[in-house]
Amino acid sequence: MVAAAQKIVISGFYGFRNSGDEAVLQSILNALRKQSQAAGITLEPVVLSIDPEWTAATYGVESVHRMKLGEVRRALSESAGLISGGGSLLQDVTSSKTIPYYLGIIKLAQWMGKPTFIYAQGVGPVNRKLFHPLIKSIFRKCAYISLRDEQSRLLLQSMGLNIDEIDVVPDPVMGLELPKDMQTEHTDAGSVAGDTPDSGLQGGPATVGVSVRFWEQSRQELDALAEGLVKASAVQPLHVRFLPFHHSADNEASRYVMQKMGRGIEDNGGSVTIREDALHPLQMLQEVSRCQALIGMRLHSLIYAAGQRVPLLGVSYDPKIDHFLERVACQPVGKTDTLEADKVAAGVLELLSSGESWRQEREPLIAALVQAAEAPARRIAQYFGHKG
């Protein structure tokens, strides 16, 4: 006898066209499907999204508007439980409203008597101390907590939580795989006007993926990246492939760097392109897989690269970048406020010349992270499997 399907609500930063967060959602959906099948149950996700029509069409799941309280209440009341995550949901750097929103969703589910699960979240920075007791009281009532780094666990401990039963797991996106029909290499680069077929073929310019965002007011980190890439291309011709992870802000940041580079890359025998329409995470993952190296500010650009075994350089603007780089035995090429063009150039050239040894050295670390990425989905499926 097959158990009845159970709905599970997923709360996160979804529907905003941020490729990293959309990849988190895709990864969670994949892992839940796989692990619920293994547990002999059916979990039907209901995703809270800023654009539920787009989310439903993109992932083939039910979706409701994250800001319409009536719809959220109804979804929770009809569900078996709530997943909060993944990503950096509980931090007060981007806005003071972020933490109250995500805690409010969890608390609402708890009031309704629903089990709540924290899925591979990065907690912090939490600069407003008034949030600490709120996080503690709500997390204490969760059925399961998993975090994506040890620093988040220590932050919860400082708030007075018992961390013995909190799992530290990789970001869910470490487990995201390309379907076999998308694994062909060096096919046409996409449908954006002005794109060229992928470079990096034997004897041609090496493809270096670039993921940037606006951060420093002075734009000095973007200036240093532009100068560093041009310097590297003077030694080895490059196809610089801009990959905007958050539309449309990262598109603007990418075009800023492109403008700063001028004709430098082309004058050195290379080319510059941008993929502006890769809204589905698997499209962007495919783009990253075609690169010979990647330099990234966005966390998920680095996670994509690691998962695809693409040698990577991280530019640090937030502790989460440093924490991830540490897990794959890498150091940031620099911080946004002190980034140097010469170090960027040297770093890119080093990755291109030693790609195979870079992969071999890190394969055990990366393989272990990929394997562990589905642990939260396994625990959640087992929770409902045992209840059934």
Side-chain angles (χ1 to χ4, degrees), residues 174-190:
M174 280 303 304
L176 189 61
E177 295 177 348
L178 273 177
K180 288 209 166 25
D181 62 349
M182 294 181 77
Q183 288 177 9
T184 51
E185 291 183 22
H186 306 306
T187 55
D188 194 274

Side-chain angles (χ1 to χ4, degrees), residues 72-349:
V72 173
R73 283 175 62 94
R74 193 175 312 113
L76 286 170
S77 69
E78 294 171 356
S79 75
L82 169 77
I83 289 171
S84 179
S88 305
L89 304 184
L90 298 180
Q91 49 79 24
D92 58 2
V93 176
T94 55
S95 168
S96 60
K97 297 174 183 174
T98 304
I99 292 175
Y101 171 79
Y102 290 109
L103 287 182
I105 298 292
I106 302 169
K107 190 66 186 170
L108 185 58
Q110 291 175 347
W111 275 337
M112 293 180 174
K114 307 294 182 180
T116 52
F117 308 91
I118 306 300
Y119 198 119
Q121 282 200 31
V123 181
V126 184
N127 296 314
R128 296 165 178 84
K129 294 289 190 281
L130 65 99
F131 289 140
H132 288 201
L134 290 172
I135 293 171
K136 178 186 174 183
S137 68
I138 289 171
F139 270 42
R140 280 177 62 190
K141 297 183 178 73
C142 288
Y144 171 69
I145 299 173
S146 59
L147 306 171
R148 72 176 180 204
D149 53 64
E150 182 62 25
Q151 291 78 8
S152 296
R153 204 165 81 112
L154 294 174
L155 178 57
L156 291 183
Q157 184 179 44
S158 76
M159 295 178 191
L161 275 160
N162 177 1
I163 61 170
D164 292 343
E165 293 183 7
I166 295 177
D167 286 348
V168 176
V169 299
D171 187 287
V173 178
M174 280 303 304
L176 189 61
E177 295 177 348
L178 273 177
K180 288 209 166 25
D181 62 349
M182 294 181 77
Q183 288 177 9
T184 51
E185 291 183 22
H186 306 306
T187 55
D188 194 274
S191 57
V192 183
D195 275 352
T196 58
D198 224 23
S199 306
L201 296 168
Q202 216 157 16
T207 302
V208 176
V210 180
S211 162
V212 290
R213 61 168 299 163
F214 288 126
W215 191 254
E216 299 293 335
Q217 287 288 326
S218 66
R219 307 284 184 248
Q220 85 88 33
E221 79 280 28
L222 301 184
D223 295 346
L225 278 170
E227 188 185 340
L229 286 163
V230 173
K231 283 187 172 184
S233 74
V235 179
Q236 177 175 350
L238 303 177
H239 169 206
V240 179
R241 180 72 160 159
F242 283 89
L243 304 173
F245 268 66
H246 193 176
H247 301 263
S248 59
D250 290 5
N251 302 52
E252 292 176 36
S254 298
R255 292 202 172 274
Y256 175 91
V257 180
M258 292 167 75
Q259 189 180 357
K260 280 285 173 180
M261 292 192 303
R263 296 275 317 162
I265 301 293
E266 290 89 343
D267 290 347
N268 290 327
S271 59
V272 180
T273 58
I274 182 169
R275 177 70 195 267
E276 293 192 287
D277 68 342
L279 293 178
H280 196 288
L282 292 178
Q283 292 175 319
M284 190 62 90
L285 189 65
Q286 184 183 46
E287 287 287 345
V288 172
S289 75
R290 293 169 170 172
C291 297
Q292 276 71 58
L294 179 134
I295 181 163
M297 290 177 68
R298 288 286 183 192
L299 173 64
H300 284 99
S301 71
L302 302 172
I303 292 173
Y304 278 28
Q308 294 299 307
R309 280 55 168 188
V310 172
L312 58 92
L313 274 184
V315 179
S316 176
Y317 72 93
D318 184 283
K320 66 187 180 185
I321 302 293
D322 304 87
H323 300 160
F324 175 72
L325 291 174
E326 216 173 275
R327 295 185 85 168
V328 291
C330 293
Q331 293 284 328
V333 68
K335 296 191 178 295
T336 52
D337 57 348
T338 55
L339 190 63
E340 297 173 25
D342 287 343
K343 287 188 177 173
V344 171
V348 168
L349 293 169

Side-chain angles (χ1 to χ4, degrees), residues 34-94:
K34 181 176 162 186
Q35 297 300 331
S36 60
Q37 282 175 356
I41 60 169
T42 303
L43 293 176
E44 288 185 355
V46 181
V47 178
L48 305 186
S49 170
I50 197 69
D51 187 347
E53 291 79 14
W54 181 80
T55 296
T58 302
Y59 302 102
V61 295
E62 190 179 334
S63 182
V64 301
H65 200 291
R66 74 198 297 267
M67 301 307 291
K68 294 184 178 174
L69 184 59
E71 291 186 18
V72 173
R73 283 175 62 94
R74 193 175 312 113
L76 286 170
S77 69
E78 294 171 356
S79 75
L82 169 77
I83 289 171
S84 179
S88 305
L89 304 184
L90 298 180
Q91 49 79 24
D92 58 2
V93 176
T94 55

